[in-house]
Amino acid sequence: DTVMGLRACGGETEAALAAAEDEIYRLDEALSRTREDSAVSRLNSAAGGTPADVGEELRDLIARALDFSAATDGAFDITLAPVSSAWGFTEDTYRVPEDAELALLLPCVGAEHVHLEEGTAVSLDQGTRIDLGAIAKGYASDRMAAIYQEHGITHGIVDLGGNTWVCGGNLEGEPWQIGIQDPARSAGALAGILEASDAFAVTSGGYQRYFEENGQTSHHIIDPRTGYPAENGLISVTIISADGTLADALSTSLFIMGPEEASSFWKKHRDTFDAIMMKDDGTVMVTAGLADHCSVTTGGNVEVIQE
């Protein structure tokens, strides 16, 4: 259910676009939790503790997800599948679950319930289910970049529903301009414009998928520590990196962390990514590495996070 757009120029253009489209469908078949025949669904269907052979690609992606979970002290978590379903986000049947229901599900959440077995096998503890939605599009964008490079593409854009990769510069030889949506204003309004070349830009925000019930707004980014939508002072996080999978994972993780913890995390890992973070008071936080490459258009306060 995601609109995706591919643009390419230079090199074997038609072959690159065809191969990229085929790869997107292949990855959807392998990684989507909502497809009964996917490798992820087969793993989730295995009896608790029973190893399932998921193949090298999926096992490696799960291993990397577990590394992200460890690096973010659990802010990134692929085992939130049952909790997300309880809120109705997976099935589009939105509801606010009872505290007692979440209390039964949360003990099955956590990276410690996912086990990498011998070879290409993975096992899950009883009651644990995984969902790669917070990392799969980032991995797909990495695959798009590899395909473009294999076909000699010199200019291009891959837009996978909030996950953007820009190849080279634009046709005028300048960096691509990527618009950052402003959740506080009407659809299409921009919080800023980022200039980038050969980079991934991934945005996560509570404005993308949400519902309202009894006057309360609930969004789809769940805090693994509480089982409830994260409410830590941020309304949007954009990660810029040379690694699409990392950018996807961190956009969710930093959103859950909140401004202070996210800023500290960047200071420790500033060599791997930069970030643009919008706070709920209108302040736009920009890491020092982007200060000269991002123009903020909200009119609100701009805070540069220094090393």
Side-chain angles (χ1 to χ4, degrees):
D1 296 330
T2 299
V3 176
M4 300 186 176
L6 308 173
R7 298 169 60 189
C9 180
E12 301 168 343
T13 312
E14 292 185 9
L17 292 173
E21 183 178 1
D22 289 345
E23 180 69 352
I24 287 173
Y25 284 112
R26 184 190 72 82
L27 291 172
D28 183 61
E29 291 176 0
L31 305 180
S32 174
R33 178 164 77 98
T34 58
R35 296 180 66 107
E36 294 182 0
D37 58 343
S38 74
V40 169
S41 291
R42 291 196 300 273
L43 173 60
N44 284 339
S45 298
T50 302
D53 192 335
V54 298
E56 183 177 0
E57 180 178 46
L58 178 53
R59 188 186 189 280
D60 288 347
L61 189 56
I62 291 173
R64 193 153 190 222
L66 297 180
D67 288 341
F68 288 135
S69 182
T72 61
D73 291 328
F76 181 81
D77 198 317
I78 60 172
T79 66
L80 275 169
V83 176
S84 182
S85 290
W87 286 87
F89 286 112
T90 305
E91 297 79 8
D92 290 334
T93 54
Y94 304 133
R95 56 187 282 271
V96 177
E98 297 289 338
D99 289 348
E101 182 179 359
L102 293 177
L104 291 174
L105 296 174
L106 282 175
C108 300
V109 171
E112 67 273 16
H113 299 297
V114 182
H115 308 284
L116 303 178
E117 309 289 356
E118 292 185 8
T120 56
V122 177
S123 66
L124 306 176
D125 289 343
Q126 187 68 38
T128 298
R129 301 289 184 271
I130 68 167
D131 188 330
L132 299 177
I135 196 174
K137 284 192 293 184
Y139 176 70
S141 65
D142 277 324
R143 290 293 306 129
M144 299 300 100
I147 289 171
Y148 273 35
Q149 290 162 5
E150 289 168 6
H151 290 83
I153 302 303
T154 55
H155 311 277
I157 298 177
V158 172
D159 181 5
L160 307 184
N163 290 52
T164 302
W165 174 62
V166 288
C167 173
N170 62 25
L171 298 182
E172 286 73 42
E174 300 292 332
W176 291 102
Q177 292 189 335
I178 303 173
I180 308 298
Q181 187 171 336
D182 185 351
R185 294 191 287 170
S186 59
L190 297 181
I193 299 175
L194 170 69
E195 293 185 344
S197 302
D198 291 317
F200 298 87
V202 181
T203 299
S204 290
Y207 62 93
Q208 295 173 319
R209 291 182 63 195
Y210 65 91
F211 68 95
E212 296 182 4
E213 183 175 307
N214 298 327
Q216 176 184 346
T217 299
S218 301
H219 61 74
H220 75 290
I221 304 179
I222 306 296
D223 188 331
R225 297 164 291 193
T226 66
Y228 283 88
E231 298 293 345
N232 296 321
L234 292 174
I235 59 175
S236 173
V237 172
T238 297
I239 302 295
I240 298 87
S241 176
D243 184 333
T245 307
L246 177 142
D248 200 6
L250 292 187
S251 66
T252 302
S253 303
L254 268 62
F255 186 95
I256 290 170
M257 290 178 186
E260 293 184 7
E261 188 178 348
S263 297
S264 296
F265 186 87
W266 173 76
K267 291 176 183 178
K268 295 177 182 177
H269 304 277
R270 59 184 178 271
D271 292 339
T272 59
F273 76 97
D274 276 295
I276 302 167
M277 300 181 284
M278 293 192 63
K279 297 169 65 174
D280 52 15
D281 65 2
T283 300
V284 179
M285 305 169 66
V286 180
T287 56
L290 292 180
D292 296 331
H293 306 284
C294 178
S295 57
V296 176
T297 58
T298 62
N301 294 327
V302 178
E303 176 184 337
V304 178
I305 306 172
Q306 301 289 348
E307 299 181 11

